[in-house]
Amino acid sequence: MQYDFSFCGETGHWYGLRIVRRPDIPAPEEDVEEYDIPGRGVLMVRKGTYRDIVIPMEANFREKPELWADRFRKCKRWLLGPVGKLKFSDDYGKYYQVKRVLIMDAEREVRRIGRFTAEFTCAPYQYLEEGDQPRAPEEVSYNPYEVSRPAYQIVGEGVCTLTVNGKTVTANVGQNLTIDTERMISYRQDGEMMNTAIAGDYEDLYLLKGENTIAISAGFTLLVVPKWRVL
């Protein structure tokens, strides 16, 4: 099977692109603060966060000379449009969350063949597709991966308390409410923003490595989209 990639749900093959070679994916670099302490040297403090990574991908395409520019415009319109998930065909079930795409100028190697490099700036983590599915709290209480930033889907009516690892957030729910800790927003299923409906810190709802405890007030139902991720 030909090596391929997909971006925002569409494949490079559909656009007539062929990857010149598999991209080199850099390891995330941890954020570290350095303090120069007289008599002790440099103290390095690990912040527990990581910097974005840049994945360069070189691709080429074949097109009739009179359609060459139009083909390149279609590729640019796709890659420079809304950002989303970047997947590779040889790494099934995982994706990168893209923040920005930069396209280098295309080179016309011969009359029919063009080549360009796209640079994908991504969040440092690689996400598991299975972590995008809503699950019962007891199914996600154990986190075998890195610290995750889940989304909590609450159904009910009135004020409830969501407790994760002993830390609480209070939410005023009108039929339904989603608390998205990754984007730090809350909203209804119809898209209405409800940021003022909660009181507490989104960070307190992260799922830590290993065992976690998740509980919600009686009378409310809860599903968790765990957003599993790895380095």
Side-chain angles (χ1 to χ4, degrees):
M1 183 177 68
Q2 178 182 329
Y3 179 73
D4 201 3
F5 77 102
S6 70
F7 178 59
C8 294
E10 297 183 312
T11 66
H13 178 74
W14 192 88
Y15 282 86
L17 295 179
R18 183 181 295 272
I19 307 303
V20 176
R21 64 183 181 88
R22 284 172 169 77
D24 295 324
I25 299 177
E29 182 180 351
E30 186 176 9
D31 286 316
V32 177
E33 289 187 352
E34 297 184 359
Y35 299 92
D36 190 2
I37 302 177
R40 294 184 54 187
V42 177
L43 175 65
M44 303 183 69
V45 178
R46 302 175 64 179
K47 300 174 64 176
T49 56
Y50 295 84
R51 300 178 184 178
D52 291 343
I53 61 174
V54 177
I55 302 176
M57 188 155 50
E58 191 176 0
N60 61 23
F61 59 90
R62 180 186 296 270
E63 187 54 274
K64 296 178 181 179
E66 65 272 18
L67 298 177
W68 189 95
D70 185 56
R71 170 71 66 178
F72 185 42
R73 279 191 291 268
K74 289 180 180 178
C75 293
K76 289 189 292 184
R77 188 161 55 245
W78 168 44
L79 296 174
L80 297 179
V83 293
K85 299 176 181 179
L86 173 65
K87 305 177 186 179
F88 297 102
S89 60
D90 64 348
D91 201 1
Y92 180 78
K94 300 180 181 64
Y95 66 89
Y96 294 93
Q97 189 61 54
V98 177
K99 296 183 176 182
R100 188 184 70 166
V101 181
L102 178 64
I103 294 181
M104 308 304 179
D105 293 338
E107 299 178 5
R108 200 161 182 168
E109 296 182 333
V110 295
R111 294 186 66 207
R112 289 176 173 268
I113 298 178
R115 180 187 297 231
F116 67 89
T117 298
E119 289 187 346
F120 296 86
T121 299
C122 306
Y125 293 91
Q126 193 176 24
Y127 292 81
L128 281 67
E129 290 186 319
E130 64 178 283
D132 290 343
Q133 302 302 316
R135 302 174 185 272
E138 59 270 19
E139 295 183 77
V140 300
S141 60
Y142 182 77
N143 177 10
Y145 308 108
E146 299 296 319
V147 174
S148 74
R149 301 178 177 183
Y152 296 88
Q153 300 174 349
I154 305 171
V155 175
E157 193 71 39
V159 177
C160 73
T161 299
L162 174 61
T163 304
V164 178
N165 297 322
K167 299 179 180 180
T168 62
V169 167
T170 302
N172 189 355
V173 182
Q175 297 183 337
N176 66 80
L177 180 70
T178 296
I179 302 175
D180 189 332
T181 66
E182 186 163 42
R183 295 190 292 165
M184 292 193 173
I185 59 174
S186 297
Y187 54 90
R188 288 172 46 88
Q189 289 179 0
D190 60 10
E192 180 182 357
M193 300 301 296
M194 299 293 293
N195 291 327
T196 59
I198 74 163
D201 295 326
Y202 288 98
E203 294 92 336
D204 290 341
L205 302 180
Y206 292 168
L207 294 178
L208 307 178
K209 294 181 182 180
E211 292 289 348
N212 294 265
T213 58
I214 307 170
I216 197 167
S217 302
F220 294 84
T221 59
L222 174 67
L223 291 176
V224 185
V225 182
K227 304 288 185 70
W228 300 135
R229 60 187 191 175
V230 295
L231 287 172

